[in-house]
Amino acid sequence: MKQASYEDAFGAGVCPILEDSDLDAMTDEQMQEELSNWQRQAGGPLEYVVEDNIRLVERHIELRAASDDDLFKGISDAEAAIEHWTPKLDGEDGWLARRIIRSCETDLKDFRREMDRRAKIVS
């Protein structure tokens, strides 16, 4: 597991940085407990890491709650958006196209990872 370290007037410490693989290995109950643990740590010296971890856990919980149809629709919508915005990368809306494409690529990765996780559970 990756870690972020800090040093302040009171000493030094480390904070784990969660990754998708860490959360994929957890049960739903473990993930809820993980979220609760991170929420209690908010406001510390590495608050930005804690907030990122909270967002990641919440995203995993959200994806687990989605139906297979919702995931397939999300994949389809993200692919369609990427196809639509890619030709606009060199135009005056290139900044917007890059932002939308980057967001859709993240969604695609998340949706496909969750589909793979579910497939592994079934087999």
Side-chain angles (χ1 to χ4, degrees), residues 6-48:
Y6 68 92
E7 190 171 332
D8 61 15
F10 305 106
V14 295
C15 178
I17 300 172
L18 291 177
E19 295 180 297
D20 292 321
S21 59
D22 301 322
L23 297 171
D24 285 342
M26 292 182 185
T27 65
D28 293 348
E29 294 79 21
Q30 289 170 326
M31 203 173 318
Q32 288 291 342
E33 185 177 334
E34 187 76 13
L35 177 60
S36 177
N37 291 340
W38 284 110
Q39 288 170 333
R40 283 193 296 272
Q41 295 181 41
L46 284 174
E47 186 169 358
Y48 69 96

Side-chain angles (χ1 to χ4, degrees), residues 26-89:
M26 292 182 185
T27 65
D28 293 348
E29 294 79 21
Q30 289 170 326
M31 203 173 318
Q32 288 291 342
E33 185 177 334
E34 187 76 13
L35 177 60
S36 177
N37 291 340
W38 284 110
Q39 288 170 333
R40 283 193 296 272
Q41 295 181 41
L46 284 174
E47 186 169 358
Y48 69 96
V49 175
V50 172
E51 288 175 0
D52 287 347
N53 285 343
I54 289 171
R55 279 193 295 276
L56 185 62
V57 175
E58 288 174 339
R59 177 67 169 163
H60 274 258
I61 290 170
E62 174 188 322
L63 288 170
R64 286 194 183 184
S67 69
D68 287 348
D69 288 341
D70 289 339
L71 293 175
F72 284 123
K73 182 175 178 349
I75 289 170
S76 176
D77 290 349
E79 288 173 339
I82 290 170
E83 185 177 323
H84 173 80
W85 284 98
T86 298
K88 300 176 186 210
L89 283 170

